[in-house]
Amino acid sequence: MGLLQDKLKNYREPQKLMEAGIYPYFREIKGKQGTVVDMEGRQVLMFGSNAYTGLTGDQRIIDAAKKALDKYGSGCAGSRFLNGTLDLHVQLEKELAEYVNKDEALVFSTGFSVNDGVLACICDRNDYIICDDRDHASIVDGRRKSLAKGLKFKHNDMEDLEKKLQMCNPDSVKLIVVDGVFSMEGDLAKLPEIVALKKKYNASLMVDEAHGIGVFGKQGSGVCSHFGLTDEVDIIMGTFSKSLASIGGFVAADSDIINYLRHNCRTYIFSASNTPAATAAAQEALHIIKSEPERIEHLWDLTKFALKRFKEEGFEIGDTESPIIPLYVRDFLKTFQVTHRAAELGVFINSVVPPACAPDDTLVRFALMATHTEEQVEKGVQILKQVFKEFNIIK
């Protein structure tokens, strides 16, 4: 056995949870992800998905993906930079740019690679990247890879953000990067206040709309639109793996920024381009979202209902303003026990523990889709109420 194996063999934390029968990850689902899924031979209510629009099993999207597969084949066998650009990619980029009201957009193979690559290349050693301390891991990784000086401010703490901006050289690029919707807690970035500080200190702003697209703003175009601040945001990114029912991601900005990224972003020019089927699926999902406003309206009706019911039943749900509802457990082991017990009773939720949250903020994440019914939400609330009482988390 080599030194690498010696180093890693003592990592046994997952095995401890497995031995206790409460390991909550890599659970197998058989079939499409809808509001009910087949898991381990049982029908389970799905409240652990990011498919806010509920489109992952929509036949129109499946048909669009099949059509693209027939026309273009299964893949492009190369990067966008060389042989992997299809007219389908270019058309989707134009539609996405128009959707989020920016000059141009670039489509990437994953959402993670957007943040990872853009932040790694867009600032140099004389610049600053300033992040909320609850930003997504892809933002954290991109900041770490950048030559720029990395700074973090306390979550949604505008006083701390201003202190960080004051630390920067006024003549250097200062890029503030925030999640529009924070993926675990469900709260929103304070974009109006951030924009005010951006202007005061001559900074730039990038917003991750991964959990905002399909949920907030005009035609579901995101949190920037929701606040009416799209023109004040320099860079917008989004993913296809949530509301757009596919896999991939995009970045949108003015033509100069996109021109630079198109020729310098390593995760774009050195990654195989997004598959035709995934690209067509995302495009069709975008068309559906824009043409069916009632889908988002129903999602918000459900969200308001669920927030009201969880509060009435005594759950601690924090500052969420979105279809992401954190149910705080504040106990590492109980978080896994709750997830396991809920699955036994027919509800799929996700455990959130460090490093995805602070040690004292462990929670289970309850997320809604536009295809849920009020009856399904109420059933979920009642089952989770039973589970939380069993573990003495609520009275």
Side-chain angles (χ1 to χ4, degrees):
M1 184 176 289
L3 293 176
L4 179 62
Q5 289 82 358
D6 284 342
K7 178 181 177 180
L8 301 180
K9 70 180 180 181
N10 292 323
Y11 174 64
R12 309 302 296 168
E13 297 308 311
Q15 284 65 37
K16 292 176 184 176
L17 294 173
M18 292 175 191
E19 290 165 5
I22 54 173
Y23 182 72
Y25 305 118
F26 302 102
R27 291 173 281 180
E28 292 184 18
I29 295 170
K30 298 179 180 179
K32 297 174 185 174
Q33 277 204 34
T35 59
V36 178
V37 296
D38 181 354
M39 193 175 76
E40 298 176 352
R42 294 180 294 115
Q43 296 296 295
V44 177
L45 281 169
M46 171 53 78
F47 289 109
S49 173
N50 293 319
Y52 306 114
T53 54
L55 288 171
T56 51
D58 191 285
Q59 192 59 47
R60 293 168 291 181
I61 293 175
I62 295 169
D63 289 343
K66 287 180 178 177
K67 185 177 178 180
L69 195 63
D70 288 338
K71 179 176 180 179
Y72 297 100
S74 59
C76 299
S79 71
R80 289 290 304 278
F81 198 62
L82 298 176
N83 64 300
T85 292
L86 303 175
D87 56 351
L88 189 63
H89 294 129
V90 175
Q91 180 58 38
L92 178 56
E93 287 172 341
K94 290 178 180 177
E95 292 185 27
L96 287 167
E98 180 182 1
Y99 184 53
V100 299
N101 198 31
K102 290 297 175 189
D103 292 349
E104 295 185 56
L106 295 179
V107 166
F108 287 62
S109 300
T110 68
F112 195 107
S113 65
V114 177
N115 287 333
D116 193 32
V118 169
L119 292 176
C121 85
I122 206 165
C123 295
D124 63 30
R125 65 180 69 255
N126 297 312
D127 301 330
Y128 300 85
I129 297 176
I130 310 167
C131 300
D132 188 294
D133 67 7
R134 293 189 190 173
D135 279 347
H136 189 263
S138 57
I139 295 174
V140 174
D141 280 10
R143 176 180 58 80
R144 287 173 175 170
K145 291 176 183 176
S146 173
L147 295 175
K149 302 172 184 69
L151 300 172
K152 290 191 296 183
F153 64 95
K154 297 173 185 175
H155 178 55
N156 263 341
D157 186 329
M158 297 300 100
E159 184 178 343
D160 195 38
L161 172 57
E162 184 160 20
K163 287 179 181 177
K164 297 302 186 292
L165 287 164
Q166 290 170 344
M167 293 168 58
C168 301
N169 183 335
D171 296 323
S172 295
V173 170
K174 298 166 287 293
L175 179 62
I176 304 166
V177 189
V178 294
D179 288 1
V181 181
F182 290 90
S183 59
M184 297 297 111
E185 297 85 2
D187 56 338
L188 309 186
K190 295 180 178 179
L191 281 190
E193 293 94 329
I194 293 170
V195 166
L197 289 171
K198 170 206 162 180
K199 290 180 176 180
K200 182 176 179 180
Y201 291 94
N202 192 26
S204 300
L205 176 59
M206 176 175 174
V207 176
D208 180 329
E209 289 278 21
H211 297 269
I213 294 289
V215 180
F216 288 89
K218 182 181 178 182
Q219 295 184 310
S221 56
V223 173
C224 300
S225 169
H226 167 73
F227 283 113
L229 292 170
T230 300
D231 290 345
E232 303 293 345
V233 177
D234 301 279
I235 304 171
I236 292 174
M237 73 78 62
T239 57
F240 302 160
S241 56
K242 298 169 179 64
S243 289
L244 294 178
S246 184
I247 184 70
F250 73 93
V251 62
D254 66 40
S255 296
D256 290 335
I257 291 174
I258 294 300
N259 176 57
Y260 183 83
L261 291 173
R262 183 180 281 119
H263 298 93
N264 290 276
C265 182
R266 293 168 70 87
T267 59
Y268 179 76
I269 62 177
F270 292 108
S271 288
S273 57
N274 212 18
T275 66
T279 306
Q283 184 179 44
E284 182 63 20
L286 180 61
H287 295 167
I288 293 170
I289 291 169
K290 291 168 67 176
S291 65
E292 295 182 358
E294 65 275 9
R295 185 176 292 272
I296 298 175
E297 290 169 9
H298 180 61
L299 175 62
W300 277 107
D301 287 342
L302 287 173
T303 299
K304 292 170 186 175
F305 174 74
L307 291 171
K308 176 175 177 289
R309 290 294 296 117
F310 279 120
K311 287 178 182 177
E312 288 173 345
E313 297 295 354
F315 288 84
E316 182 189 354
I317 62 172
D319 298 321
T320 181
E321 301 177 64
S322 71
I324 300 166
I325 304 177
L327 306 176
Y328 284 91
V329 178
R330 301 195 183 283
D331 182 287
F332 186 85
L333 185 60
K334 281 186 180 180
T335 302
F336 295 115
Q337 292 172 326
V338 163
T339 304
H340 177 72
R341 180 63 174 142
E344 287 184 331
L345 296 176
V347 170
F348 189 113
I349 49 176
N350 291 310
S351 299
V352 180
V353 298
C357 67
D360 294 333
D361 292 339
T362 66
L363 59 95
V364 292
R365 183 180 183 273
F366 183 98
L368 294 162
M369 293 183 274
T371 43
H372 279 121
T373 65
E374 196 170 286
E375 291 73 23
Q376 287 175 323
V377 174
E378 179 61 30
K379 184 176 180 180
V381 171
Q382 291 300 327
I383 289 174
L384 290 171
K385 175 184 174 182
Q386 175 185 335
V387 174
F388 272 56
K389 284 187 172 183
E390 283 183 20
F391 291 98
N392 298 312
I393 302 165
I394 61 172
K395 297 181 180 180

